[in-house]
Amino acid sequence: MRDQIVAGNWKMNKDLNQATALVEEIQSLMMNPVEADKVIVAPPYTYLAQTAAKAAEVPGLFVAGQNCHQEMSGAYTGEISATILKSLGVDYVILGHSERREYFGESNQLLALKVKAALGQDLIPIFCCGEPLSIREAGEQQKYVNQQLTESLFQLEADDLRRLVIAYEPIWAIGTGRTASAEQAQQMHASIRKHLASKYGAEVANHLPILYGGSCKPSNAKEIFAGEDVDGGLIGGASLNANDFIAIANSL
Ligand code: PGA
């Protein structure tokens, strides 16, 4: 069976006190076992070490970086490497979030390098893909997402690909309150799995968790997660509230 995962992307939100309070609330809510096999939080870099120390006290709670550079070290002012993330007790790293692609110009080719860098440091990439609205309206979404997967992941050996988590995040659903329907999510997740299987075989593709992201909240999570290829969620806004986030983790 695939891992069922709920990951919270805090983006550039929460100051130190608020971040500490949020992870402590999550910790205390997780005193009762949750339905998700793994709960992951991705705070801003500056709180990663504190958050990772707290997460280590809770079975099933893990920490992710929101990005990493493709080089391990060097003169890259303002950047952070996979090596540094690993040294903080981080286990996962979100790569290719649509906000990184759009505002920071990250291409599929650059992401291929970042994925390799993360795997090389034993970090599990949560690799994000997803189409903008214009592509969805043109009915080209599967082709578009397949190209993202091909250009960023298909250089990997099967044993490396097996370690990934994929997140499908239709850009038109991120932070907009507009969610993909459960049917749209399932269709795309099945298409992603099929595309990965075309290169790596069904056994490898069936092993990979594929998370849905985009305005996922307690009121819609159960329906979206019901899809057989939907293995959890990557949650933005609703992950900033511990009760909502854990309610989503219990919707699996
Ligand atoms: P959202 O963000 O849940 O606020 O739509 C999802 C994401 O960007 O990961």
Side-chain angles (χ1 to χ4, degrees):
M1 266 312 281
R2 293 187 287 270
D3 273 344
Q4 307 275 295
I5 299 172
V6 166
N9 177 6
W10 298 2
K11 308 190 180 183
M12 196 175 70
N13 293 298
K14 304 286 179 191
D15 66 19
L16 176 59
N17 290 336
Q18 294 166 335
T20 306
L22 178 54
V23 72
E24 283 175 355
E25 277 179 73
I26 291 171
Q27 251 186 330
S28 84
L29 289 169
M30 286 184 72
M31 297 289 278
N32 298 317
V34 296
E35 294 298 327
D37 299 310
K38 289 180 177 154
V39 174
I40 303 171
V41 290
Y45 298 133
T46 43
Y47 323 133
L48 280 170
Q50 288 102 317
T51 310
K54 289 193 185 294
E57 298 165 3
V58 184
L61 181 60
F62 300 89
V63 174
Q66 296 178 15
N67 175 38
C68 72
H69 196 270
Q70 65 275 21
E71 298 294 338
M72 290 310 129
S73 63
Y76 301 101
T77 302
E79 288 292 316
I80 193 156
S81 69
T83 328
I84 295 173
L85 291 180
K86 193 66 195 177
S87 76
L88 299 173
V90 168
D91 290 306
Y92 293 82
V93 60
I94 298 170
L95 290 175
H97 190 280
S98 62
E99 287 149 20
R100 297 292 320 170
R101 293 173 185 267
E102 183 179 351
Y103 306 137
F104 303 95
E106 295 194 4
S107 65
N108 294 339
Q109 289 72 18
L110 176 69
L111 290 165
L113 300 176
K114 291 190 175 206
V115 167
K116 267 208 136 103
L119 287 169
Q121 296 306 306
D122 229 1
L123 287 175
I124 301 171
I126 301 174
F127 178 80
C128 303
C129 54
E131 79 287 354
L133 186 59
S134 57
I135 297 287
R136 168 66 61 170
E137 283 173 348
E140 301 276 300
Q141 64 273 12
Q142 294 188 351
K143 195 169 143 212
Y144 184 92
V145 169
N146 284 351
Q147 186 173 349
Q148 290 180 319
L149 299 169
T150 301
E151 292 184 1
S152 296
L153 303 182
F154 277 20
Q155 88 286 1
L156 295 173
E157 301 293 334
D159 281 349
D160 280 337
L161 187 94
R162 290 180 77 88
R163 294 156 63 198
L164 260 62
V165 173
I166 308 284
Y168 168 59
E169 301 205 300
I171 297 171
W172 44 272
I174 295 178
T176 57
R178 186 176 165 184
T179 344
S181 66
E183 195 187 347
Q184 285 171 323
Q186 167 54 28
Q187 264 175 6
M188 181 57 89
H189 285 223
S191 160
I192 290 170
R193 211 179 289 291
K194 188 167 161 223
H195 189 60
L196 295 172
S198 73
K199 162 97 176 161
Y200 293 99
E203 195 273 326
V204 173
N206 286 338
H207 178 84
L208 287 189
I210 306 179
L211 315 184
Y212 169 79
S215 299
C216 198
K217 31 185 196 281
S219 58
N220 60 23
K222 217 178 182 66
E223 193 184 342
I224 295 169
F225 294 168
E228 67 173 305
D229 289 289
V230 182
D231 305 306
L234 177 54
I235 319 300
S239 74
L240 299 174
N241 176 295
N243 284 311
D244 286 352
F245 184 54
I246 295 303
I248 294 171
N250 278 323
S251 302
L252 278 156

